[in-house]
């Protein structure tokens, strides 16, 4: 079946640094979503992308829909301690509206 | 605004016991979902209800049953719990099936011993 692979799996960064992570698929996606999960909570939507090449920002977060439609990228600028959590990409499986989630990137910020 | 409410938050079961996880949303959403989250595997869809009165299997439905009780409520039942069902379970809802944004509950941490 379709899979979404995220990298890196986890990362430690210093407060103030920029962060980049990506999500790749074995097949084409028409929508990419990025969620964040705080410890002990459910995921919350950060950014939604609907068009190849689209670049969308939400505060310090910027996400891009890859032009091949098989990947997406999330950047966080000037990280702060509350950026800690797990970041998931998600997209609808081919021919359906059922969304699958990536394996997640766990972010830890060192103050 | 409560959003999506799940009960219980924590549960320990013995192998073979049954239980029902409850979920309710107050956003008048049409679609509801149950996911499980295991380390290193992201969230996997167990069952979903595209609209009131319908339910369908997701990626990992074996060992589970669901009931869409009404538009607000969607329950997940484990008839005979197994250690492999130890996981964190999330209920989610969306305005309609295929709507990009899903709203998640806080999760139920289930341990089967």
């Amino acid at each position: 079946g379709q899979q979404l692979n995220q990298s890196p799996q986890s990362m430690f960064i210093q407060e103030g640094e920029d962060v980049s992570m990506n999500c790749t698929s074995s097949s084409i996606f028409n929508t990419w979503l990025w969620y964040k999960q705080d410890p002990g909570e459910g995921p919350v939507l950060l950014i939604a992308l609907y068009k190849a090449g689209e670049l969308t920002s939400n505060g310090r977060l910027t996400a891009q829909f890859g032009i091949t439609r098989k990947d997406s990228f999330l950047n966080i600028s000037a990280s702060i301690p509350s950026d800690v959590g797990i970041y998931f990409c998600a997209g609808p499986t081919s021919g359906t509206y059922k969304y699958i989630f990536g394996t997640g990137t766990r972010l830890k910020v060192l103050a | 605004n409560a959003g999506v409410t799940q009960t219980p938050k924590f549960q320990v079961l013995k192998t073979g016991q049954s239980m029902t996880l409850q979920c309710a949303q107050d956003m008048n959403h049409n679609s509801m979902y149950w996911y499980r989250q295991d380390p290193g595997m992201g969230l996997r869809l167990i069952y979903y209800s595209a609209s009131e009165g319908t339910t369908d299997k997701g990626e990992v439905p074996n060992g589970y049953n669901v009931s869409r009780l009404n538009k607000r409520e969607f329950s997940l039942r484990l008839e005979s719990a197994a250690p492999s069902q130890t996981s964190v379970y999330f209920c989610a809802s969306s305005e309609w099936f295929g709507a990009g944004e899903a709203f998640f509950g806080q999760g139920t941490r289930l341990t089967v011993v």
Side-chain angles (χ1 to χ4, degrees):
Chain A
Q2 287 179 302
Q3 289 184 329
L4 293 179
N5 297 308
Q6 289 187 245
S7 65
Q9 286 187 337
S10 64
M11 55 197 311
F12 284 90
I13 60 167
Q14 292 285 342
E15 184 177 354
E17 286 184 348
D18 295 343
V19 175
S20 292
M21 61 188 77
N22 67 72
C23 183
T24 59
S25 168
S26 56
S27 55
I28 290 172
F29 274 55
N30 293 317
T31 299
W32 285 101
L33 307 176
W34 284 94
Y35 283 85
K36 183 195 177 196
Q37 183 180 26
D38 289 328
E41 302 287 333
V44 174
L45 184 68
L46 298 173
I47 293 178
L49 302 161
Y50 299 104
K51 186 177 176 182
E54 181 180 354
L55 190 70
T56 298
S57 293
N58 178 4
R60 293 178 297 104
L61 278 62
T62 301
Q64 184 165 22
F65 194 138
I67 56 173
T68 66
R69 295 166 63 193
K70 290 186 176 182
D71 53 13
S72 180
F73 309 90
L74 178 68
N75 296 312
I76 304 172
S77 62
S79 58
I80 59 178
S82 62
D83 289 334
V84 164
I86 306 176
Y87 292 80
F88 291 104
C89 60
T93 54
S94 177
T96 80
Y97 289 122
K98 290 186 284 188
Y99 279 73
I100 60 172
F101 283 74
T103 49
T105 292
R106 186 180 295 272
L107 182 64
K108 300 182 183 181
V109 179
L110 305 173
Chain B
N1 229 2
V4 178
T5 303
Q6 292 182 233
T7 55
K9 287 189 167 47
F10 301 94
Q11 183 71 48
V12 178
L13 290 178
K14 293 182 179 179
T15 298
Q17 285 185 319
S18 62
M19 80 161 294
T20 300
L21 280 63
Q22 307 286 353
C23 175
Q25 52 92 7
D26 63 2
M27 296 172 282
N28 200 36
H29 284 172
N30 290 296
S31 303
M32 298 185 73
Y33 314 83
W34 276 104
Y35 289 88
R36 60 177 288 173
Q37 182 177 25
D38 301 295
M41 300 191 74
L43 291 108
R44 292 182 293 169
L45 183 63
I46 305 171
Y47 269 93
Y48 65 97
S49 172
S51 60
E52 186 179 356
T54 70
T55 60
D56 280 291
K57 295 178 180 179
E59 185 183 354
V60 288
N62 291 345
Y64 306 95
N65 285 301
V66 290
S67 295
R68 183 75 182 267
L69 304 169
N70 48 55
K71 192 172 185 180
R72 289 187 64 247
E73 298 171 287
F74 188 40
S75 63
L76 178 72
R77 183 161 178 83
L78 287 71
E79 289 292 351
S80 179
S84 61
Q85 294 178 304
T86 293
S87 187
V88 181
Y89 291 85
F90 286 98
C91 177
S93 70
S94 64
E95 189 171 354
W96 44 274
F97 187 53
E101 182 171 16
F103 294 81
F104 285 80
Q106 287 191 305
T108 296
R109 186 173 293 274
L110 176 67
T111 302
V112 183
V113 297

